[in-house]
PDB file of all heavy atoms in Angstrom:
ATOM      1  N   GLU A 878      19.112  22.838  15.177  1.00  0.00           N
ATOM      2  CA  GLU A 878      18.673  23.612  14.034  1.00  0.00           C
ATOM      3  C   GLU A 878      19.483  23.123  12.846  1.00  0.00           C
ATOM      4  O   GLU A 878      20.561  22.550  13.022  1.00  0.00           O
ATOM      5  CB  GLU A 878      18.919  25.098  14.286  1.00  0.00           C
ATOM      6  CG  GLU A 878      18.060  25.651  15.405  1.00  0.00           C
ATOM      7  CD  GLU A 878      18.247  27.150  15.587  1.00  0.00           C
ATOM      8  OE1 GLU A 878      19.044  27.765  14.845  1.00  0.00           O
ATOM      9  OE2 GLU A 878      17.587  27.699  16.475  1.00  0.00           O
ATOM     10  N   TRP A 879      18.987  23.320  11.658  1.00  0.00           N
ATOM     11  CA  TRP A 879      19.691  22.867  10.466  1.00  0.00           C
ATOM     12  C   TRP A 879      19.449  23.879   9.356  1.00  0.00           C
ATOM     13  O   TRP A 879      18.461  24.615   9.373  1.00  0.00           O
ATOM     14  CB  TRP A 879      19.251  21.454  10.073  1.00  0.00           C
ATOM     15  CG  TRP A 879      17.772  21.269   9.954  1.00  0.00           C
ATOM     16  CD1 TRP A 879      16.868  21.123  10.964  1.00  0.00           C
ATOM     17  CD2 TRP A 879      17.005  21.232   8.748  1.00  0.00           C
ATOM     18  NE1 TRP A 879      15.601  20.985  10.465  1.00  0.00           N
ATOM     19  CE2 TRP A 879      15.652  21.055   9.101  1.00  0.00           C
ATOM     20  CE3 TRP A 879      17.329  21.325   7.399  1.00  0.00           C
ATOM     21  CZ2 TRP A 879      14.633  20.972   8.165  1.00  0.00           C
ATOM     22  CZ3 TRP A 879      16.305  21.235   6.466  1.00  0.00           C
ATOM     23  CH2 TRP A 879      14.982  21.057   6.853  1.00  0.00           C
ATOM     24  N   ASP A 880      20.365  23.936   8.407  1.00  0.00           N
ATOM     25  CA  ASP A 880      20.224  24.863   7.289  1.00  0.00           C
ATOM     26  C   ASP A 880      18.954  24.524   6.520  1.00  0.00           C
ATOM     27  O   ASP A 880      18.776  23.388   6.090  1.00  0.00           O
ATOM     28  CB  ASP A 880      21.430  24.780   6.349  1.00  0.00           C
ATOM     29  CG  ASP A 880      22.690  25.336   6.994  1.00  0.00           C
ATOM     30  OD1 ASP A 880      22.573  26.146   7.927  1.00  0.00           O
ATOM     31  OD2 ASP A 880      23.792  24.960   6.555  1.00  0.00           O
ATOM     32  N   GLY A 881      18.067  25.497   6.365  1.00  0.00           N
ATOM     33  CA  GLY A 881      16.810  25.276   5.676  1.00  0.00           C
ATOM     34  C   GLY A 881      15.648  25.034   6.616  1.00  0.00           C
ATOM     35  O   GLY A 881      14.518  24.844   6.183  1.00  0.00           O
ATOM     36  N   MET A 882      15.914  25.034   7.918  1.00  0.00           N
ATOM     37  CA  MET A 882      14.883  24.770   8.917  1.00  0.00           C
ATOM     38  C   MET A 882      13.708  25.728   8.740  1.00  0.00           C
ATOM     39  O   MET A 882      13.882  26.936   8.695  1.00  0.00           O
ATOM     40  CB  MET A 882      15.483  24.941  10.309  1.00  0.00           C
ATOM     41  CG  MET A 882      14.560  24.586  11.422  1.00  0.00           C
ATOM     42  SD  MET A 882      15.431  24.669  12.999  1.00  0.00           S
ATOM     43  CE  MET A 882      14.482  25.933  13.800  1.00  0.00           C
ATOM     44  N   GLU A 883      12.504  25.167   8.619  1.00  0.00           N
ATOM     45  CA  GLU A 883      11.294  25.956   8.415  1.00  0.00           C
ATOM     46  C   GLU A 883      10.107  25.103   8.820  1.00  0.00           C
ATOM     47  O   GLU A 883      10.026  23.939   8.435  1.00  0.00           O
ATOM     48  CB  GLU A 883      11.201  26.339   6.939  1.00  0.00           C
ATOM     49  CG  GLU A 883      10.073  27.244   6.573  1.00  0.00           C
ATOM     50  CD  GLU A 883      10.102  27.607   5.082  1.00  0.00           C
ATOM     51  OE1 GLU A 883      11.181  27.943   4.546  1.00  0.00           O
ATOM     52  OE2 GLU A 883       9.020  27.547   4.468  1.00  0.00           O
ATOM     53  N   GLY A 884       9.190  25.639   9.580  1.00  0.00           N
ATOM     54  CA  GLY A 884       7.996  24.914   9.998  1.00  0.00           C
ATOM     55  C   GLY A 884       6.963  24.853   8.889  1.00  0.00           C
ATOM     56  O   GLY A 884       7.159  25.382   7.788  1.00  0.00           O
ATOM     57  N   CYS A 885       5.849  24.216   9.175  1.00  0.00           N
ATOM     58  CA  CYS A 885       4.776  24.118   8.197  1.00  0.00           C
ATOM     59  C   CYS A 885       3.434  24.210   8.902  1.00  0.00           C
ATOM     60  O   CYS A 885       3.362  24.189  10.134  1.00  0.00           O
ATOM     61  CB  CYS A 885       4.888  22.832   7.385  1.00  0.00           C
ATOM     62  SG  CYS A 885       4.647  21.338   8.338  1.00  0.00           S
ATOM     63  N   ASP A 886       2.384  24.327   8.135  1.00  0.00           N
ATOM     64  CA  ASP A 886       1.031  24.473   8.652  1.00  0.00           C
ATOM     65  C   ASP A 886       0.115  23.439   8.018  1.00  0.00           C
ATOM     66  O   ASP A 886       0.480  22.777   7.048  1.00  0.00           O
ATOM     67  CB  ASP A 886       0.494  25.870   8.319  1.00  0.00           C
ATOM     68  CG  ASP A 886       1.309  26.972   8.977  1.00  0.00           C
ATOM     69  OD1 ASP A 886       1.465  26.913  10.213  1.00  0.00           O
ATOM     70  OD2 ASP A 886       1.782  27.879   8.273  1.00  0.00           O
ATOM     71  N   ALA A 887      -1.095  23.356   8.557  1.00  0.00           N
ATOM     72  CA  ALA A 887      -2.105  22.496   7.936  1.00  0.00           C
ATOM     73  C   ALA A 887      -2.279  22.926   6.486  1.00  0.00           C
ATOM     74  O   ALA A 887      -2.282  24.112   6.174  1.00  0.00           O
ATOM     75  CB  ALA A 887      -3.425  22.603   8.691  1.00  0.00           C
ATOM     76  N   GLY A 888      -2.357  21.954   5.601  1.00  0.00           N
ATOM     77  CA  GLY A 888      -2.453  22.234   4.169  1.00  0.00           C
ATOM     78  C   GLY A 888      -1.125  22.091   3.449  1.00  0.00           C
ATOM     79  O   GLY A 888      -1.095  21.976   2.226  1.00  0.00           O
ATOM     80  N   ASP A 889      -0.023  22.087   4.204  1.00  0.00           N
ATOM     81  CA  ASP A 889       1.290  21.937   3.585  1.00  0.00           C
ATOM     82  C   ASP A 889       1.608  20.462   3.345  1.00  0.00           C
ATOM     83  O   ASP A 889       1.125  19.582   4.049  1.00  0.00           O
ATOM     84  CB  ASP A 889       2.394  22.534   4.473  1.00  0.00           C
ATOM     85  CG  ASP A 889       2.401  24.050   4.472  1.00  0.00           C
ATOM     86  OD1 ASP A 889       1.941  24.645   3.478  1.00  0.00           O
ATOM     87  OD2 ASP A 889       2.864  24.637   5.461  1.00  0.00           O
ATOM     88  N   ALA A 890       2.444  20.236   2.345  1.00  0.00           N
ATOM     89  CA  ALA A 890       2.971  18.900   2.063  1.00  0.00           C
ATOM     90  C   ALA A 890       4.456  18.909   2.395  1.00  0.00           C
ATOM     91  O   ALA A 890       5.202  19.763   1.906  1.00  0.00           O
ATOM     92  CB  ALA A 890       2.755  18.531   0.603  1.00  0.00           C
TER      93      ALA A 890
END
Side-chain angles (χ1 to χ4, degrees):
E878 294 184 0
W879 52 282
D880 291 337
M882 185 174 119
E883 185 178 315
C885 66
D886 297 306
D889 286 334

